Amino acid sequence: MKHDKAVVVFSGGQDSTTCLFWALKNFKEVEAVTFDYGQRHALEIECAKQIAQELNVRHHILNMSLLNQLAPNALTRDDIEIKEGEEGELPSTFVPGRNLVFLSFAGILASQIGAKHIVTGVCETDFSGYPDCRDAFVKSLNVTLNLSMDTSFVIHTPLMWIDKAETWALADQLGAFDFVRQKTLTCYNGIIADGCGECPACKLRLQGMEAYVQSLK
Protein backbone atom coordinates (compact mmCIF):
# COMPACT_ATOMS: atom_id res chain seq x y z
CA MET A 1 0.00 0.00 0.00
CA LYS A 2 2.98 2.31 0.50
CA HIS A 3 3.10 2.85 -3.27
CA ASP A 4 -0.66 3.31 -3.77
CA LYS A 5 -3.17 6.15 -3.74
CA ALA A 6 -6.20 6.39 -1.45
CA VAL A 7 -9.36 8.44 -1.09
CA VAL A 8 -10.60 9.11 2.45
CA VAL A 9 -14.30 9.75 3.05
CA PHE A 10 -13.86 12.77 5.28
CA SER A 11 -16.28 14.70 7.49
CA GLY A 12 -13.81 16.50 9.74
CA GLY A 13 -14.94 14.47 12.75
CA GLN A 14 -12.95 12.33 15.16
CA ASP A 15 -13.31 9.07 13.27
CA SER A 16 -12.67 10.29 9.73
CA THR A 17 -9.75 12.47 10.86
CA THR A 18 -8.16 9.49 12.61
CA CYS A 19 -8.66 7.55 9.37
CA LEU A 20 -7.05 10.40 7.41
CA PHE A 21 -3.94 10.21 9.60
CA TRP A 22 -3.99 6.40 9.20
CA ALA A 23 -4.15 6.76 5.42
CA LEU A 24 -1.33 9.31 5.35
CA LYS A 25 0.83 6.78 7.17
CA ASN A 26 -0.10 3.83 4.96
CA PHE A 27 -0.36 5.25 1.43
CA LYS A 28 1.96 7.14 -0.87
CA GLU A 29 -0.72 9.63 -1.90
CA VAL A 30 -3.97 10.57 -0.18
CA GLU A 31 -6.94 12.73 -1.19
CA ALA A 32 -10.05 13.46 0.88
CA VAL A 33 -13.67 13.79 -0.15
CA THR A 34 -16.36 15.58 1.84
CA PHE A 35 -20.06 15.50 1.00
CA ASP A 36 -22.25 18.58 1.32
CA TYR A 37 -25.73 17.19 1.84
CA GLY A 38 -27.21 20.19 3.65
CA GLN A 39 -26.19 18.81 7.02
CA ARG A 40 -27.37 20.62 10.12
CA HIS A 41 -24.05 22.41 10.56
CA ALA A 42 -22.19 23.84 7.59
CA LEU A 43 -19.33 24.27 10.06
CA GLU A 44 -18.63 20.56 9.52
CA ILE A 45 -17.54 21.30 5.96
CA GLU A 46 -15.44 24.30 7.02
CA CYS A 47 -13.77 22.15 9.66
CA ALA A 48 -12.97 19.48 7.06
CA LYS A 49 -11.54 22.16 4.73
CA GLN A 50 -9.25 23.53 7.43
CA ILE A 51 -7.95 20.11 8.44
CA ALA A 52 -7.26 19.07 4.85
CA GLN A 53 -5.46 22.34 4.22
CA GLU A 54 -3.36 22.02 7.37
CA LEU A 55 -2.37 18.45 6.48
CA ASN A 56 -1.71 19.44 2.85
CA VAL A 57 -4.26 16.95 1.51
CA ARG A 58 -6.10 17.60 -1.76
CA HIS A 59 -9.74 18.03 -0.81
CA HIS A 60 -12.86 17.43 -2.89
CA ILE A 61 -16.28 18.70 -1.77
CA LEU A 62 -19.21 17.15 -3.60
CA ASN A 63 -22.74 18.56 -3.68
CA MET A 64 -25.14 15.87 -2.41
CA SER A 65 -28.13 18.10 -1.70
CA LEU A 66 -30.49 15.52 -3.18
CA LEU A 67 -29.82 13.33 -0.13
CA ASN A 68 -31.15 16.12 2.08
CA GLN A 69 -34.29 16.28 -0.01
CA LEU A 70 -34.86 12.53 0.16
CA ALA A 71 -33.93 11.87 3.77
CA PRO A 72 -35.30 14.35 6.34
CA ASN A 73 -33.82 13.60 9.78
CA ALA A 74 -32.16 15.29 12.75
CA LEU A 75 -28.91 15.87 10.84
CA THR A 76 -30.63 17.65 7.97
CA ARG A 77 -33.52 19.44 9.71
CA ASP A 78 -33.33 21.95 12.57
CA ASP A 79 -36.90 21.14 13.61
CA ILE A 80 -36.25 17.43 14.22
CA GLU A 81 -35.02 16.58 17.71
CA ILE A 82 -31.74 14.75 18.14
CA LYS A 83 -32.53 11.63 20.16
CA GLU A 84 -31.32 8.10 20.55
CA GLY A 85 -33.38 5.17 19.29
CA GLU A 86 -35.87 3.57 21.64
CA GLU A 87 -37.16 0.00 21.68
CA GLY A 88 -35.01 -1.08 18.76
CA GLU A 89 -35.65 1.99 16.62
CA LEU A 90 -32.81 3.80 14.87
CA PRO A 91 -31.66 7.18 16.26
CA SER A 92 -33.19 10.30 14.71
CA THR A 93 -29.72 11.06 13.30
CA PHE A 94 -29.78 8.10 10.91
CA VAL A 95 -29.64 9.24 7.28
CA PRO A 96 -30.97 6.37 5.11
CA GLY A 97 -28.53 5.35 2.40
CA ARG A 98 -25.88 7.88 3.38
CA ASN A 99 -22.89 5.53 3.41
CA LEU A 100 -24.21 3.71 0.36
CA VAL A 101 -24.23 6.99 -1.55
CA PHE A 102 -21.01 8.37 -0.08
CA LEU A 103 -18.94 5.25 -0.74
CA SER A 104 -20.38 4.88 -4.25
CA PHE A 105 -19.41 8.44 -5.14
CA ALA A 106 -16.04 7.99 -3.45
CA GLY A 107 -15.56 5.02 -5.76
CA ILE A 108 -16.41 7.11 -8.81
CA LEU A 109 -13.97 9.80 -7.67
CA ALA A 110 -11.30 7.17 -7.00
CA SER A 111 -11.68 5.82 -10.51
CA GLN A 112 -11.13 9.30 -11.94
CA ILE A 113 -8.00 10.10 -9.94
CA GLY A 114 -6.37 6.69 -10.19
CA ALA A 115 -6.89 5.56 -6.59
CA LYS A 116 -7.50 1.91 -5.78
CA HIS A 117 -8.14 2.38 -2.07
CA ILE A 118 -11.11 3.96 -0.28
CA VAL A 119 -10.91 4.62 3.47
CA THR A 120 -13.94 5.16 5.69
CA GLY A 121 -14.41 5.50 9.44
CA VAL A 122 -17.48 3.31 9.86
CA CYS A 123 -17.49 0.74 12.64
CA GLU A 124 -19.76 -1.86 14.22
CA THR A 125 -18.64 -1.21 17.79
CA ASP A 126 -20.10 2.28 18.27
CA PHE A 127 -22.41 2.40 15.28
CA SER A 128 -25.70 3.32 17.03
CA GLY A 129 -27.42 0.55 15.09
CA TYR A 130 -26.86 2.20 11.70
CA PRO A 131 -27.17 -0.66 9.17
CA ASP A 132 -24.82 1.00 6.66
CA CYS A 133 -21.92 0.93 9.15
CA ARG A 134 -21.81 -2.86 9.31
CA ASP A 135 -18.90 -4.89 8.01
CA ALA A 136 -21.23 -7.05 5.89
CA PHE A 137 -22.55 -3.95 4.12
CA VAL A 138 -19.06 -2.60 3.40
CA LYS A 139 -17.85 -5.94 2.02
CA SER A 140 -20.97 -6.25 -0.12
CA LEU A 141 -20.60 -2.73 -1.53
CA ASN A 142 -16.91 -3.34 -2.18
CA VAL A 143 -17.85 -6.24 -4.46
CA THR A 144 -20.59 -4.17 -6.12
CA LEU A 145 -18.27 -1.22 -6.81
CA ASN A 146 -15.69 -3.50 -8.35
CA LEU A 147 -18.27 -5.15 -10.57
CA SER A 148 -19.87 -1.84 -11.55
CA MET A 149 -16.60 -0.29 -12.71
CA ASP A 150 -14.66 -3.45 -13.56
CA THR A 151 -11.84 -2.51 -11.22
CA SER A 152 -10.27 -3.69 -7.98
CA PHE A 153 -11.02 -1.16 -5.26
CA VAL A 154 -10.34 -2.04 -1.65
CA ILE A 155 -12.51 -0.35 0.99
CA HIS A 156 -10.56 -0.02 4.23
CA THR A 157 -12.30 0.33 7.60
CA PRO A 158 -9.55 0.87 10.19
CA LEU A 159 -12.09 1.44 12.98
CA MET A 160 -14.51 -1.40 12.19
CA TRP A 161 -13.80 -3.56 15.23
CA ILE A 162 -12.57 -1.02 17.79
CA ASP A 163 -14.45 1.16 20.27
CA LYS A 164 -14.03 4.88 20.94
CA ALA A 165 -11.32 4.36 23.56
CA GLU A 166 -9.33 2.30 21.04
CA THR A 167 -9.95 4.96 18.39
CA TRP A 168 -8.33 7.52 20.70
CA ALA A 169 -5.49 5.06 21.23
CA LEU A 170 -5.03 4.75 17.46
CA ALA A 171 -4.95 8.54 17.08
CA ASP A 172 -2.31 8.67 19.80
CA GLN A 173 -0.23 5.97 18.08
CA LEU A 174 -0.40 8.06 14.91
CA GLY A 175 0.80 11.14 16.79
CA ALA A 176 -2.55 12.83 16.31
CA PHE A 177 -4.26 12.72 19.72
CA ASP A 178 -4.12 16.46 20.43
CA PHE A 179 -4.88 17.34 16.81
CA VAL A 180 -8.01 15.16 16.80
CA ARG A 181 -9.15 16.43 20.18
CA GLN A 182 -8.70 20.13 19.40
CA LYS A 183 -9.54 20.45 15.71
CA THR A 184 -12.29 17.97 14.85
CA LEU A 185 -16.06 18.39 14.92
CA THR A 186 -18.08 15.46 16.23
CA CYS A 187 -20.77 17.37 18.13
CA TYR A 188 -24.34 17.27 16.75
CA ASN A 189 -24.72 20.84 18.03
CA GLY A 190 -21.80 22.09 15.93
CA ILE A 191 -19.19 22.78 18.63
CA ILE A 192 -15.59 21.95 17.66
CA ALA A 193 -13.22 20.03 19.95
CA ASP A 194 -14.84 18.64 23.13
CA GLY A 195 -18.26 19.77 21.91
CA CYS A 196 -21.41 20.42 23.91
CA GLY A 197 -20.94 17.38 26.14
CA GLU A 198 -24.65 16.62 25.99
CA CYS A 199 -25.51 15.15 22.58
CA PRO A 200 -25.05 11.40 21.95
CA ALA A 201 -21.97 11.97 19.77
CA CYS A 202 -20.24 14.08 22.42
CA LYS A 203 -21.03 11.63 25.20
CA LEU A 204 -19.62 8.73 23.20
CA ARG A 205 -16.49 10.68 22.28
CA LEU A 206 -15.87 11.88 25.85
CA GLN A 207 -16.47 8.46 27.41
CA GLY A 208 -14.00 6.93 24.98
CA MET A 209 -11.37 9.57 25.65
CA GLU A 210 -11.72 9.25 29.41
CA ALA A 211 -11.47 5.47 29.19
CA TYR A 212 -8.31 5.71 27.07
CA VAL A 213 -6.67 8.31 29.33
CA GLN A 214 -7.54 6.20 32.37
CA SER A 215 -5.94 3.14 30.77
CA LEU A 216 -2.63 5.01 30.60
CA LYS A 217 -2.46 5.48 34.37
Side-chain angles (χ1 to χ4, degrees):
M1 298 196 304
K2 285 287 187 180
H3 303 288
D4 294 341
K5 186 174 186 177
V7 171
V8 178
V9 177
F10 186 56
S11 69
Q14 176 193 358
D15 293 344
S16 66
T17 303
T18 301
C19 286
L20 182 57
F21 274 94
W22 179 87
L24 287 168
K25 180 181 179 180
N26 285 283
F27 297 97
K28 180 180 180 181
E29 190 175 351
V30 174
E31 298 189 16
V33 59
T34 299
F35 299 97
D36 181 355
Y37 59 99
Q39 49 266 64
R40 192 171 183 133
H41 297 290
L43 182 60
E44 178 178 296
I45 297 171
E46 291 305 312
C47 186
K49 280 183 186 177
Q50 291 172 13
I51 292 171
Q53 184 175 12
E54 185 165 346
L55 296 179
N56 197 29
V57 172
R58 186 181 180 195
H59 189 208
H60 307 265
I61 300 174
L62 301 185
N63 182 353
M64 303 295 292
S65 57
L66 182 60
L67 185 61
N68 182 295
Q69 181 182 335
L70 288 172
N73 62 86
L75 290 190
T76 59
R77 299 291 187 277
D78 290 333
D79 58 348
I80 297 178
E81 181 185 358
I82 294 172
K83 60 181 182 179
E84 300 182 52
E86 298 176 358
E87 299 180 359
E89 294 183 352
L90 288 167
S92 65
T93 51
F94 175 61
V95 183
R98 180 172 60 172
N99 287 334
L100 170 64
V101 172
F102 286 3
L103 288 169
S104 296
F105 276 83
I108 296 170
L109 173 63
S111 72
Q112 297 301 306
I113 64 174
K116 293 296 185 182
H117 301 269
I118 302 166
V119 183
T120 177
V122 300
C123 78
E124 281 205 22
T125 310
D126 293 322
F127 74 141
S128 302
Y130 294 177
D132 59 356
C133 287
R134 295 177 296 189
D135 186 60
F137 160 73
V138 174
K139 284 184 167 58
S140 173
L141 183 60
N142 201 154
V143 173
T144 299
L145 282 178
N146 290 352
L147 290 172
S148 70
M149 287 182 264
D150 195 22
T151 189
S152 54
F153 294 124
V154 178
I155 300 179
H156 298 268
T157 53
L159 312 183
M160 181 57 74
W161 304 114
I162 64 177
D163 61 20
K164 275 292 182 286
E166 293 168 312
T167 300
W168 281 112
L170 176 59
D172 204 7
Q173 291 163 18
L174 295 166
F177 182 92
D178 289 336
F179 187 102
V180 171
R181 181 176 181 183
Q182 297 167 7
K183 299 186 178 185
T184 62
L185 174 59
T186 302
C187 177
Y188 288 151
N189 289 312
I191 301 173
I192 291 176
D194 290 338
C196 70
E198 298 297 328
C199 73
C202 282
K203 289 178 180 178
L204 192 61
R205 172 176 166 140
L206 180 60
Q207 289 167 4
M209 186 178 70
E210 289 177 343
Y212 172 60
V213 171
Q214 189 65 33
S215 73
L216 298 176
K217 295 180 180 179

